[in-house]
């Protein structure tokens, strides 16, 4: 029985490793400038973790095989204190490996989250609510109109509490779809009206929480026009599964023309653009 168990452990290990090595299920193709660095880092991590996993499971199987019950009465169990030296050695090695991976990875992470967006970035305010995404665009003047939580009125479709009396708000538009220009740094200013939500477009290779009471800024540059799925990646309530939308990455001129439209025409144009662009074909 011990031998069978050992072989089962090895087979499960082999199959698990094959799932990754086969490369059949992988991320959708990336469309952001920082993505190759993140993907490279991810690959390094998964190779290192994969080697450790394989070594540990092969060792486990070997122990199960070696110390199996042979039915002999002379095989009495013995007690061992273990080896302190061995404990120290593998703890130190594990710590070095994991801290090194974390240090290697933090460069890309910090450049997106701890540094300000580059000058000339295009800003979009994101206001999440149960269970909807709202995007606030500054319009032609590039200045966001004032918002006030007291002005939020879902029945009047003022989901973000935009103050219509503010001159800067005159050309502002809002939508449940995010439309951004290609090749230009984008800054998102993320807020939540109620609970924690999470902005996730897999092709961008980042996820970011939206936390009530906080203005969280992240930036990225999308470099391929198209329509991409946007999901809330934080279980935010009963209808969390409905909290999805699209991100449109548009050629600069198309985006500029869109942003010059007043709210009603903007809505119509977004519908047209959603029909014009197709979702990426995912690998099967
Ligand atoms: Cu959500």
């Amino acid at each position: 029985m011990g031998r069978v168990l050992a072989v089962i452990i090895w087979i499960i290990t082999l199959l698990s490793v094959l799932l990754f090595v086969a490369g059949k299920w992988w991320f959708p193709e990336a469309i952001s400038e920082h993505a190759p660095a993140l993907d490279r880092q991810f690959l390094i991590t998964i190779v290192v973790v994969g080697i450790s996993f394989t070594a540990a499971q092969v060792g486990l199987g070997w122990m199960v095989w070696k110390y199996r019950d042979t039915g002999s009465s002379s095989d009495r169990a013995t007690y061992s204190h273990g080896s302190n030296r061995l404990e120290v050695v593998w703890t130190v090695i594990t710590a070095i490996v994991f801290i090194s991976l974390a240090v290697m990875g933090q460069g890309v992470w910090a450049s997106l989250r701890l540094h300000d967006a580059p000058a000339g970035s295009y800003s979009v305010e994101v206001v999440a609510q149960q269970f909807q995404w709202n995007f606030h665009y500054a319009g032609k003047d590039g200045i966001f109109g004032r918002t006030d939580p007291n002005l939020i009125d879902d029945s009047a479709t003022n989901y973000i509490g935009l103050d219509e009396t503010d001159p800067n708000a005159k050309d502002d538009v809002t939508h449940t779809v995010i439309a951004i220009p290609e090749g230009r740094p984008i800054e998102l200013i993320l807020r939540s009206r109620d609970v924690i939500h999470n902005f996730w477009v897999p092709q961008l290779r980042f996820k970011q929480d939206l936390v009530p009471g906080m203005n969280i800024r992240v930036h990225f540059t999308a470099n391929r026009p198209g329509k991409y799925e946007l999901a809330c990646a934080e279980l935010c309530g009963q209808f969390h599964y409905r909290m999805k939308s699209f991100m449109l990455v548009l050629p600069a001129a198309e985006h500029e023309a869109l942003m010059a439209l007043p709210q009603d025409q903007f809505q119509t144009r977004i519908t047209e653009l959603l029909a014009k662009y197709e979702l990426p074909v995912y690998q099967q």
Side-chain angles (χ1 to χ4, degrees), residues 128-133 194-198 231-237 239-240 243:
Q129 69 182 95
Q130 287 173 317
F131 299 92
Q132 179 177 313
W133 291 104
D194 35 46
V195 298
I196 298 176
H197 299 276
N198 186 295
C232 174
E234 184 72 58
L235 184 55
C236 58
F239 299 107
H240 160 69
M243 194 164 166

